Amino acid sequence: MDGFIPSQAAGTAEIVFFDLETTVPRRAGQRFWVLEFGAIVVCPRKLVELESFSTLIKPKDLSAVALKSSRCDGITREAVESAPEFEEVAEKIFSILNGRVWAGHNIRRFDCARIKEAFAEIGKPAPVPVGMIDSLGVLTEKFGRRAGNMKMATLASYFGLGQQKHRSLDDVRMNLEVLKHCATVLFLESSLPNTFNSNLQSSLTVTTRSRSNGKLPCREETSRKSPPISLGYQRSAVPYTRTSLGKMTESVKNLLCKSQGSQPLNTLLKHSHSLLR
């Protein structure tokens, strides 16, 4: 795919799902080092994989990489010490990313910044997307937090897609499958709202991995790509239980009528619409 020129005018720009694995700074002043890059190029009309590429990357500071990873299938110092440095694979990464639609989970806040930093460090221009799809934002708005938190591991567990491996190529393929499953559920709910939306009430009480008392199959370190906790996410949750829904309905409707310009109330209406029928 080297030398790829996007056909933007024809609306045929391909989608590239990509993911970075990096070191996690432990104290102030430490930086992120890219340890792995993985990507799949996807046809936007058929959602089939056209091309894939992944590579481990040796950071300039090997001491920043743990001797033994605390994650399942994690990247160790031994794994990257013989890998190419970023400058050696930069041309290939540029050809994969440049002129395509970028897609991934939380890439807007994390991966895009690391890509720019890595290219700036070697004194070369960074690739530029023609569009961006951050599944963290899209799924938070469209699918809501019915699966629990918005981590990829939690979403994958919700759909029975297996455990997240925290390896770039595996994670981007999982990301695409999660999007397909979410889109299918939303399609069914919009097609037969009276039939399928009633099931949403029970899913609002799903127990997330962080709330359960069960032991995980392997210890998972704090992710550098975990979605931030903010008021925006808290507004997405329905602030009442199923048993109080009937009593709340009329008061919520009245409050919405009085505050048509209020964004939080509009958000509440959007996520509660199917329950207020």
Side-chain angles (χ1 to χ4, degrees):
M1 283 291 185
D2 291 346
F4 168 78
I5 301 176
S7 304
Q8 299 178 36
T12 57
E14 293 161 327
I15 303 172
V16 54
F17 282 80
F18 74 99
D19 177 71
L20 302 178
E21 294 299 323
T22 73
T23 58
V24 180
R26 297 300 182 187
R27 57 180 180 271
Q30 287 186 326
R31 57 163 291 176
F32 291 96
W33 289 100
V34 177
L35 301 180
E36 187 177 40
F37 172 89
I40 56 172
V41 180
V42 175
C43 170
R45 294 178 179 174
K46 298 182 179 180
L47 296 182
V48 294
E49 186 176 319
L50 303 175
E51 178 188 3
S52 66
F53 173 74
S54 67
T55 180
L56 289 170
I57 297 173
K58 178 183 177 181
K60 293 187 181 298
D61 182 8
L62 263 179
S63 66
V65 188
L67 289 171
K68 184 177 181 181
S69 176
S70 60
R71 284 176 172 166
C72 296
D73 301 318
I75 299 171
T76 63
R77 188 180 303 176
E78 181 181 5
V80 297
E81 61 185 359
S82 59
E85 294 188 355
F86 185 82
E87 189 168 11
E88 299 176 67
V89 294
E91 184 177 351
K92 178 63 177 178
I93 291 175
F94 184 93
S95 71
I96 288 281
L97 293 177
N98 194 53
R100 286 179 167 137
V101 175
W102 292 5
H105 201 66
N106 203 21
I107 58 171
R108 188 180 297 277
R109 185 173 68 96
F110 185 82
D111 300 78
C112 293
R114 305 289 85 80
I115 286 291
K116 289 181 179 179
E117 291 169 359
F119 275 92
E121 186 176 40
I122 64 174
K124 293 185 177 181
V128 178
V130 296
M132 191 176 300
I133 302 170
D134 191 323
S135 58
L136 174 60
V138 171
L139 296 184
T140 299
E141 178 184 357
K142 303 294 185 183
F143 195 71
R145 301 187 69 181
R146 66 180 81 181
N149 60 39
M150 298 307 295
K151 292 182 180 180
M152 183 53 58
T154 307
L155 290 162
S157 177
Y158 178 77
F159 288 112
L161 297 176
Q163 184 178 348
Q164 185 181 9
K165 295 184 177 180
H166 295 287
R167 296 301 300 268
S168 294
L169 203 55
D170 292 312
D171 285 1
V172 292
R173 286 176 174 146
M174 176 174 279
N175 194 175
L176 177 57
E177 289 306 308
V178 164
L179 281 175
K180 288 179 180 179
H181 280 68
C182 289
T184 301
V185 170
L186 292 172
F187 171 77
L188 291 173
E189 290 177 353
S190 63
S191 299
L192 296 170
N194 293 329
T195 301
F196 292 110
N197 283 345
S198 60
N199 295 328
L200 180 60
Q201 298 179 44
S202 59
S203 68
L204 292 173
T205 58
V206 65
T207 300
T208 66
R209 178 182 299 182
S210 60
R211 295 175 183 172
S212 64
N213 295 321
K215 293 183 179 180
L216 297 178
C218 63
R219 185 164 60 90
E220 183 176 357
E221 64 191 36
T222 301
S223 173
R224 77 282 184 276
K225 295 186 70 176
S226 300
I229 303 299
S230 68
L231 291 177
Y233 289 110
Q234 293 170 0
R235 288 171 185 161
S236 297
V238 179
Y240 43 78
T241 63
R242 180 171 54 181
T243 55
S244 62
L245 180 60
K247 298 178 181 179
M248 290 288 293
T249 301
E250 201 61 40
S251 60
V252 170
K253 287 183 178 180
N254 293 336
L255 189 57
L256 289 170
C257 291
K258 295 177 182 179
S259 308
Q260 293 181 356
S262 171
Q263 185 59 37
L265 290 176
N266 286 338
T267 303
L268 175 62
L269 177 60
K270 181 189 301 182
H271 289 279
S272 307
H273 179 71
S274 62
L275 299 178
L276 292 175
R277 289 178 179 271

